Amino acid sequence: MSGRRRLAIFARAPVRGRVKTRLARVLGDDAALAVYERLLAQTLVRLAPGCGHFHPEIWLEGTARTRFEGFPVIPQPEGDLGSRMAAAFDAGVAVLVGTDVPALDADYVERAIAALDDVDLVIGPVEDGGYCLIAMNAPHPQLFQGIPWSTPAVLAATLDAAHALSLTVRLLEPLWDVDDAADFERWRDAESPG
């Protein structure tokens, strides 16, 4: 492994009514925005520049009034999630993560980067059937085509695409993300002292 790898943190601009929409149906837009802002802040603290063998960048969907001190901010291109993720890898990113996984930290990213010495593709699954991290040594846009995003079939469809490309794959241990009211309660319980 030579040099530091580029890490894309895929984020949405923290705008009321545009983030954590499933959670907003239960908690309301203001509370959902507060949850999103807190999860984003935790992600940025854990993956801040200098905390690992990677260069973190924020790939932002939308326009944020907030400044992200110390992080280069790159606008996400137009298109669906898959085409935007493919564009990040085409631009030289090696690892891509989301912002709503409380346990995602620099060590998890480091393990993905180390695994790229042995395999073509590394995925960090989440318990709901998706993934929170994807890493690869070279772009493979086919991994993002025809994927049923925001469904429990995301990981399985991605693994099928990797198999069709004859890529070697390593899965990291599954984590969990905060998408709905049950996830929010789990996160709140995990954050509570004692």
Side-chain angles (χ1 to χ4, degrees):
M1 181 170 53
S2 60
R4 290 177 180 264
R5 305 288 188 113
R6 287 174 62 194
L7 166 70
I9 301 169
F10 254 47
R12 284 187 172 166
V15 175
R16 184 181 184 276
R18 298 288 311 272
V19 294
K20 291 288 158 216
T21 52
R22 275 190 278 175
L23 197 55
R25 291 182 207 128
V26 178
L27 301 181
D29 286 339
D30 290 332
L33 174 60
V35 168
Y36 179 78
E37 289 177 327
R38 188 157 169 218
L39 286 166
L40 175 59
Q42 287 180 345
T43 300
L44 299 185
V45 166
R46 291 179 178 145
L47 302 179
C51 71
H53 294 94
F54 50 82
H55 284 298
E57 308 166 347
I58 297 173
W59 283 64
L60 192 68
E61 180 187 14
T63 304
R65 295 185 184 134
T66 311
R67 291 201 176 272
F68 301 99
E69 293 298 329
F71 290 87
V73 177
I74 298 168
Q76 291 184 26
E78 295 295 319
D80 68 8
L81 178 60
S83 63
R84 289 182 277 131
M85 292 170 70
F89 284 100
D90 285 343
V93 162
V95 186
L96 188 150
V97 299
T99 58
D100 58 356
V101 180
L104 181 66
D105 60 13
D107 181 62
Y108 198 77
V109 173
E110 293 281 7
R111 281 184 277 141
I113 291 170
L116 288 176
D117 285 344
D118 302 315
V119 297
D120 302 312
L121 175 67
V122 182
I123 298 177
V126 287
E127 293 174 1
D128 65 8
Y131 58 82
C132 61
L133 175 150
I134 185 165
M136 61 187 91
N137 288 310
H140 296 286
Q142 304 92 323
L143 293 174
F144 306 105
Q145 296 168 357
I147 304 298
W149 302 110
S150 300
T151 74
V154 169
L155 178 61
T158 304
L159 291 174
D160 287 346
H163 178 74
L165 293 168
S166 300
L167 299 178
T168 55
V169 180
R170 178 162 310 157
L171 296 178
L172 302 177
E173 73 274 12
L175 301 179
W176 56 277
D177 55 0
V178 179
D179 281 330
D180 57 25
D183 299 328
F184 172 71
E185 292 296 332
R186 181 178 181 182
W187 178 50
R188 192 168 63 178
D189 291 346
E191 296 267 299
S192 298

